[in-house]
């Protein structure tokens, strides 16, 4: 084998080994919800709304992007114009929330591992349908027993549900809260 070919093979092998040995980046910890959290889409204080909240942390920006609802958090991941370098997606674990009105400041769960209840009778903080996150299927089933709905995984959340088809009632009445997404 010629020395040049050998050198290229070694260089290529080292380059591939470098790619294969990369440790996956550690997921950053969630931020504690506080008075400074402003909703990405509504521009309002996240604490002013009932129901589950969300935060997304991008790979190169070490701060949370806040959302007034879990549904808006998921919508961020589906919208083509939003950044895709996501390091972490956290949503409120409503099974550990003190109440619907006070979903908690630090009971965050990885949205990709959560189970979500959709199509329930409960509305999100901005009066829209909500994707209600839970860390356990048992807690989600208990919620369904009281409020209706069905369980789906993060990956199975229907884009039409998340991005807004079905926000309006059949009679054209405005959803409670009188706002679009938060």
């Amino acid at each position: 084998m010629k020395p040049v070919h050998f050198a290229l093979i070694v260089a290529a092998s080292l380059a591939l080994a470098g790619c294969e040995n990369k440790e996956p980046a550690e997921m950053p910890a969630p931020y504690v919800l506080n008075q400074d959290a402003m909703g990405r889409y509504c521009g309002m204080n996240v604490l002013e709304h009932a129901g589950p909240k969300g935060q997304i942390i991008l790979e190169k920006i070490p701060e949370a992007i806040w959302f007034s609802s879990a549904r808006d958090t998921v919508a961020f991941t589906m919208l083509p114009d939003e950044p895709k370098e996501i390091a972490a997606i956290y949503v409120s674990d409503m099974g550990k929330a003190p109440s619907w009105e006070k979903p908690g400041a630090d009971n965050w769960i990885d949205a990709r591992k959560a189970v979500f209840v959709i199509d329930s009778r409960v509305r999100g903080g901005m009066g829209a349908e909500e994707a209600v996150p839970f860390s356990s299927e048992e807690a989600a089933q208990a919620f369904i027993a009281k409020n209706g709905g069905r369980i789906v995984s993060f990956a199975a959340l229907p884009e039409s549900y998340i991005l807004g088809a079905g926000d309006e009632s059949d009679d054209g009445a405005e959803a409670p809260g009188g706002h679009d997404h938060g």
Side-chain angles (χ1 to χ4, degrees), residues 24-73:
E26 189 171 315
M27 199 161 93
Y31 288 80
V32 175
L33 182 59
N34 62 47
Q35 288 291 83
D36 297 328
M38 295 296 166
R40 168 82 168 197
Y41 298 127
C42 68
M44 299 170 69
N45 188 298
V46 172
L47 294 173
E48 294 177 13
H49 307 288
K53 312 291 177 241
Q55 61 177 288
I56 289 180
I57 304 167
L58 300 176
E59 289 174 2
K60 296 184 182 187
I61 303 173
E63 59 187 49
I65 300 170
W66 294 101
F67 299 90
S68 298
S69 70
R71 183 176 170 202
D72 283 352
T73 309

Side-chain angles (χ1 to χ4, degrees), residues 91-180:
V91 288
S92 304
D93 181 352
M94 294 307 287
K96 295 180 180 166
S99 69
W100 187 258
E101 291 71 31
K102 304 249 183 245
D106 60 1
N107 52 315
W108 301 106
I109 55 172
D110 179 349
R112 293 177 183 111
K113 295 178 181 173
V115 293
F116 291 84
V117 174
I118 62 172
D119 297 325
S120 77
R121 290 183 292 277
V122 178
R123 296 299 216 172
M126 296 298 287
E129 291 180 327
E130 182 59 279
V132 186
F134 295 91
S135 60
S136 77
E137 192 164 328
E138 294 76 26
Q141 290 292 358
F143 179 86
I144 289 170
K146 293 179 187 172
N147 303 294
R150 61 188 174 99
I151 293 175
V152 296
S153 67
F154 178 83
L157 284 163
E159 191 170 303
S160 61
Y161 183 86
I162 295 300
L163 297 181
D167 259 357
E168 302 298 321
S169 62
D170 291 337
D171 63 5
E174 193 170 355
H179 300 287
D180 290 329

